[in-house]
Amino acid sequence: MTEIFAHRGSAQLARENTVAAFVAARDLGADGIELDVHLTADGNVVVHHDGEVPGLGPFGRLLSAELPAWLPSLGEALDACWPLRVNVEIKQDETDAGTERDRSLAFEVARLLAARREAPRIVVSSFSLEAIDAVGTFEPSLETALLVEGDRDPMGALVTAREHGHRGLHPFFFSVDAGLMKAAKDCGMAIRTWTVDDPAQIVALADLGVDAVVTNDVAAARRALGRSDLPDAAPPRSVPPPAAG
């Protein structure tokens, strides 16, 4: 069965990448949540898409105590997502200290996740091969996956990910075809594709056998895949503007 992952939670009903968004996605019937993490100046892992908080600055210069109340720690986010699967995307630090901070973030993510009861239900992904390599080095039991940009050869990325010991590939949905799926299945690699909202495309991807789709519209994805046993969400309510683009 193709799983449905809510992209940053349910941003239709609450501010993305927040506890409220994760709870809303769970209530809609998502199988999993996709979220993004950064490292604060005092070494805490927090959930946000962009590398800075508008009006406050980049995470590398912010202490946890300086962050707004709506911005959750990874631990708070995982509590809100239970018992769903979670895709934790490690974001790269764009500052001069980026390489060192990326490794520190990978270590903190691996350390935190290894101690969680839901660790077997978590996959750690990143566009940075170095980041997921570091996670695998720090905690080999964690599942890791390589994210792939739309303009990159997915077959080559599949080979690279497998050679580095990762168990999944997360390509842009336009890149997924029967050839990629066969190659992935032949070597035991999971394919979770991002970010697809068109119901017809979701059905086509499921027919190809993808392991999961990441979507902004969980209810529509459930209907497309014939899983409409849960009621649709209430109409979107007024929420603050998203914290990230």
Side-chain angles (χ1 to χ4, degrees), residues 99-116:
T99 300
E100 181 180 346
R101 285 183 54 77
D102 288 349
R103 185 172 176 80
S104 296
L105 174 56
F107 171 78
E108 289 299 328
V109 167
R111 183 185 65 80
L112 191 155
L113 295 183
R116 301 281 305 196

Side-chain angles (χ1 to χ4, degrees), residues 17-237:
N17 270 329
T18 63
V19 165
F22 304 145
V23 171
R26 185 185 63 200
D27 291 345
L28 283 173
D31 301 300
I33 304 288
E34 184 272 349
L35 54 83
D36 313 285
V37 294
H38 293 273
L39 192 68
T40 63
D42 51 343
N44 289 317
V45 183
V46 294
V47 178
H48 195 258
H49 181 264
D50 290 355
E52 62 179 58
V53 182
L56 294 178
F59 286 100
R61 299 176 188 170
L62 293 173
L63 300 175
S64 301
E66 298 176 296
L67 299 178
W70 52 260
L71 200 156
S73 68
L74 178 55
E76 291 169 335
L78 292 175
D79 287 343
C81 293
W82 176 262
L84 305 185
R85 289 179 57 79
V86 182
N87 173 19
V88 177
E89 180 184 343
I90 293 180
K91 290 295 191 180
Q92 292 176 269
D93 191 302
E94 302 296 335
T95 68
D96 292 339
T99 300
E100 181 180 346
R101 285 183 54 77
D102 288 349
R103 185 172 176 80
S104 296
L105 174 56
F107 171 78
E108 289 299 328
V109 167
R111 183 185 65 80
L112 191 155
L113 295 183
R116 301 281 305 196
R117 58 179 174 171
E118 65 268 60
R121 299 179 63 81
I122 294 173
V123 56
V124 182
S125 66
S126 183
F127 288 106
S128 167
L129 180 62
E130 292 77 11
I132 54 173
D133 281 351
V135 170
T137 298
F138 295 137
E139 187 48 62
S141 66
L142 290 172
E143 182 178 356
T144 47
L146 180 62
L147 271 160
V148 187
E149 294 281 7
D151 59 355
R152 183 176 176 186
D153 170 31
M155 281 291 196
L158 181 71
V159 171
T160 297
R162 184 169 180 269
E163 288 177 344
H164 283 245
H166 305 298
R167 287 183 271 163
L169 191 76
H170 294 182
F172 186 51
F173 74 92
F174 276 158
S175 303
V176 179
D177 58 20
L180 177 66
M181 290 308 306
K182 182 180 186 307
K185 297 303 181 185
D186 286 348
C187 63
M189 294 281 281
I191 299 292
R192 304 179 187 90
T193 185
W194 58 274
T195 299
V196 51
D197 296 332
D198 178 67
Q201 189 67 60
I202 290 172
V203 171
L205 290 164
D207 288 345
L208 284 173
V210 299
D211 295 271
V213 293
V214 178
T215 182
N216 291 303
D217 195 337
V218 172
R222 287 183 59 85
R223 288 193 298 270
L225 297 181
R227 296 169 56 190
S228 55
D229 51 303
L230 288 178
D232 286 348
R237 57 184 173 81

